[in-house]
Amino acid sequence: MAYVIGVDCGTSGTKTVLFDEMGTVISSVTIEYPMYQPKNGYAEQDPADWANAMVNTIKAVMSESGVNKEDVKGVGISGQMHGLVMLDGDGKVLRKSIIWCDQRTAAEVEEMNSKLGREKLIEITANPALTGWTAAKILWVKNNEPEIYEKCRHILLPKDYLRYVLTGEFATEVSDASGMQLLDVPHRCWSKEVCDALGIDMSMLGKVYESCEVTGQVSAEMAEKTGLKAGTIVVGGAGDNAAAAVGTGVAVDGKAFTTIGTSGVVFAHTSQISIDPKGRVHTCCAAVPNSWHVMGVTQAAGLSLRWFRDNFCSDLKAEADKIGEDVYNIMNAKAAQYPVGSDRLLYLPYLMGERTPHLDPDARGVFFGLSAIHTRDTMIRAVMEGVSYSLRDCVEVFREMNISVSDMMACGGGGNSPLWRSMLADLYNCPVKTASSKEGPALGVALLAAVGAGIYSTVPEACAAVIKTDKIQEPNQENVPEYEKYYQLYREIYPALKAEYGKLAKL
């Protein structure tokens, strides 16, 4: 039996999972670490924490499993996207990493737009300039910490720093590099035009690979520390969402997944590049060679239900604790008693502004149609439906881009809810499924490693062999036209309030 390892470097911790070649979990270990916020809006982490977590979790899964190191054929690494790791000429870290959720770079976004123009940026990098993405962070260090920038010789993403630790190679791969805003996304290579305009030396950027290509081998030093065999291959790996796509089988046209976590993501695979000229969704290179993905994001998906739970459901939380039940299961059961449309109550989930499709930081949440007939339970259902409408908005943008979705996977905490899955199936008018494995990104990059090691010949072949469906929620054809009426009304509410949101923000 052959084995592969998936390392997932997240914001709260790094998880390493050892799988056999059929995707069965043999051992899984997670080590957590802190995030630092030196100022309001700042978010940083210490790359040494990621490296220590990776080394120690690999060592732990090898030790716990008893698997012979000769049988571990490859390693794949997934990671939080957009983070900036800067190294000097000796490969030493120059400062803490500025990570994906840091928001200090508004001035640098303006600088990018002035130097290149919004349309040119979208044409080359497939996305508008964004505060959370890497290019703006590089400019921030250049503008605010010139002494550090002067010493910089290598720029890496979080997971690519871990690759450097394991192999000594300075490399990246197309899916994660797409989130830097320095990659020519249509042509899957660094953009000289963008780098020159921003004054970023391209020699500092790692070599770009496809996600399943071999990028290096585990060094003798790291073999000693981890329990792996020296020379074990390390493949390109993938950014977290691209890795999750492979881990849920979204590797061919027509397939997509919806994640309901704190935020909500709808992610679709496409073999033809498609860029939204309005910048409402992100287009990035997929972890499948010569393919791309589009991704829509709603800011407050699961966050909306958690906000409602924390502020209005303390008695339900107490009841759940008493009987050993998840409070969300109780909330779901209460919401399920009510019909489509929550007795004519709609919710706009814009607690944190909105990205897809409105790109409006001033947007805020709304209950529309509230009357004396409504109860807390109808409001719970309205929140769940409102999040579902916002996710349907993402699918509508995909359709404008000629990207069809006929097979949808659901993941994240909200994906565990049968009621939420039924709402999505009715609004998408296609089956919504869950995968039997919940390992997502770690499984995805382990499968990329299996392809790099020759266990499977292609990424779609690996997915077909390993990814199994757990539950299938078919759309209720009676509900589909009812939801359509409410969704079309939902779509009219934001435009009617757009100007007022701007006025409110200025008060």
Side-chain angles (χ1 to χ4, degrees):
M1 177 70 78
Y3 299 87
V4 282
I5 283 177
V7 178
D8 181 20
C9 173
T11 312
S12 58
T14 287
K15 176 193 222 180
T16 294
V17 187
L18 176 67
F19 299 91
D20 69 19
E21 64 191 58
M22 293 310 298
T24 304
V25 174
I26 306 302
S27 179
S28 174
V29 176
T30 300
I31 291 177
E32 296 184 349
Y33 35 68
M35 179 174 76
Y36 303 95
Q37 294 184 277
K39 292 183 182 179
N40 188 15
Y42 284 30
E44 299 182 350
Q45 289 189 310
D46 189 340
D49 289 340
W50 304 332
N52 291 332
M54 174 185 68
V55 169
N56 289 313
T57 53
I58 294 176
K59 181 179 179 181
V61 298
M62 291 300 294
S63 173
E64 286 180 8
S65 67
V67 167
N68 188 323
K69 63 184 178 183
E70 303 286 335
D71 295 327
V72 177
K73 302 303 182 186
V75 178
I77 310 174
S78 165
Q80 49 172 299
M81 295 178 68
H82 318 303
L84 171 63
V85 184
M86 306 183 86
L87 309 181
D88 66 14
D90 296 323
K92 292 190 169 53
V93 175
L94 288 166
R95 69 171 331 280
K96 285 189 174 71
S97 172
I98 306 174
I99 64 169
W100 62 276
C101 51
D102 188 282
Q103 293 296 316
R104 74 182 72 177
T105 60
E108 285 68 33
V109 164
E110 289 302 313
E111 180 182 346
M112 290 173 69
N113 283 325
S114 67
K115 287 181 172 177
L116 276 151
R118 191 173 190 274
E119 291 74 19
K120 178 61 74 175
L121 272 167
I122 292 175
E123 176 190 323
I124 298 174
T125 73
N127 296 280
L130 294 159
T131 53
W133 288 32
T134 321
K137 296 179 170 71
I138 298 170
L139 294 180
W140 186 91
V141 175
K142 193 177 180 185
N143 293 338
N144 293 276
E145 298 174 346
E147 71 288 354
I148 288 177
Y149 190 82
E150 281 297 313
K151 295 175 187 172
C152 182
R153 295 296 177 270
H154 302 282
I155 290 171
L156 296 173
L157 292 158
K159 76 156 190 345
D160 298 328
Y161 175 69
L162 296 185
R163 179 198 327 281
Y164 168 68
V165 170
L166 269 188
T167 69
E169 299 290 340
F170 297 108
T172 188
E173 50 68 50
V174 290
S175 74
D176 213 0
S178 296
M180 292 183 76
Q181 292 213 285
L182 300 175
L183 196 78
D184 180 336
V185 170
H187 297 102
R188 306 170 88 85
C189 61
W190 296 124
S191 168
K192 186 174 187 303
E193 183 175 355
V194 172
C195 290
D196 285 354
L198 301 181
I200 294 170
D201 184 349
M202 286 177 66
S203 69
M204 294 196 291
L205 305 175
K207 183 179 177 181
V208 182
Y209 291 82
E210 290 292 334
S211 304
C212 54
E213 286 187 299
V214 176
T215 60
Q217 300 176 336
V218 174
S219 67
E221 179 190 354
M222 279 296 119
E224 185 72 28
K225 290 183 177 180
T226 60
L228 293 170
K229 184 182 78 169
T232 302
I233 67 159
V234 178
V235 297
D240 49 10
N241 278 301
V246 176
T248 50
V250 178
V252 295
D253 287 357
K255 286 185 176 282
F257 72 77
T258 297
T259 299
I260 303 177
T262 301
S263 62
V265 170
V266 186
F267 180 114
H269 180 95
T270 176
S271 56
Q272 300 294 322
I273 186 165
S274 185
I275 297 173
D276 176 30
K278 298 177 184 174
R280 294 167 296 176
V281 298
H282 304 311
T283 297
C284 295
C285 299
V288 181
N290 301 313
S291 300
W292 290 262
H293 64 252
V294 293
M295 186 174 75
V297 181
T298 182
Q299 298 278 71
L303 176 63
S304 285
L305 196 61
R306 189 175 75 203
W307 163 79
F308 197 87
R309 178 201 71 181
D310 290 348
N311 288 284
F312 306 109
C313 300
S314 56
D315 58 326
L316 297 184
K317 287 173 74 175
E319 178 187 337
D321 291 344
K322 192 173 181 181
I323 63 176
E325 180 62 272
D326 185 335
V327 66
Y328 287 120
N329 291 339
I330 296 174
M331 293 169 71
N332 275 226
K334 291 185 176 296
Q337 301 172 50
Y338 292 89
V340 170
S342 309
D343 286 339
R344 290 189 292 189
L345 179 64
L346 285 86
Y347 169 72
L348 276 60
Y350 306 147
L351 300 183
M352 306 295 290
E354 192 52 300
R355 281 167 69 178
T356 304
H358 305 308
L359 296 172
D360 186 350
D362 294 334
R364 291 294 178 267
V366 171
F367 279 104
F368 178 78
L370 195 62
S371 76
I373 193 175
H374 294 119
T375 66
R376 178 177 66 180
D377 296 348
T378 47
M379 294 174 81
I380 293 171
R381 183 175 183 108
V383 167
M384 297 176 73
E385 288 182 337
V387 169
S388 303
Y389 298 143
S390 73
L391 295 166
R392 165 71 182 274
D393 273 346
C394 298
V395 173
E396 287 301 309
V397 177
F398 295 172
R399 288 171 178 163
E400 284 181 37
M401 299 166 68
N402 295 315
I403 295 169
S404 66
V405 173
S406 56
D407 187 322
M408 182 69 74
M409 301 294 288
C411 42
N416 295 324
S417 161
L419 177 59
W420 233 331
R421 292 198 305 271
S422 73
M423 290 175 180
L424 294 176
D426 295 344
L427 276 158
Y428 297 158
N429 198 14
C430 77
V432 173
K433 309 171 184 178
T434 58
S436 52
S437 171
K438 306 303 180 192
E439 293 300 338
L443 176 57
V445 289
L447 291 179
L448 295 174
V451 174
I455 298 168
Y456 298 103
S457 59
T458 67
V459 178
E461 179 193 297
C463 290
V466 170
I467 308 300
K468 307 298 181 201
T469 298
D470 180 19
K471 299 180 180 70
I472 302 178
Q473 177 67 52
E474 296 286 348
N476 180 326
Q477 291 305 324
E478 290 183 5
N479 289 349
V480 169
E482 284 301 303
Y483 266 125
E484 197 63 24
K485 294 176 194 170
Y486 282 99
Y487 173 64
Q488 293 305 331
L489 177 57
Y490 167 90
R491 294 185 80 183
E492 294 175 21
I493 300 170
Y494 170 81
L497 294 177
K498 178 176 170 57
E500 281 65 35
Y501 282 135
K503 292 174 187 174
L504 181 64
K506 290 183 172 68
L507 289 180

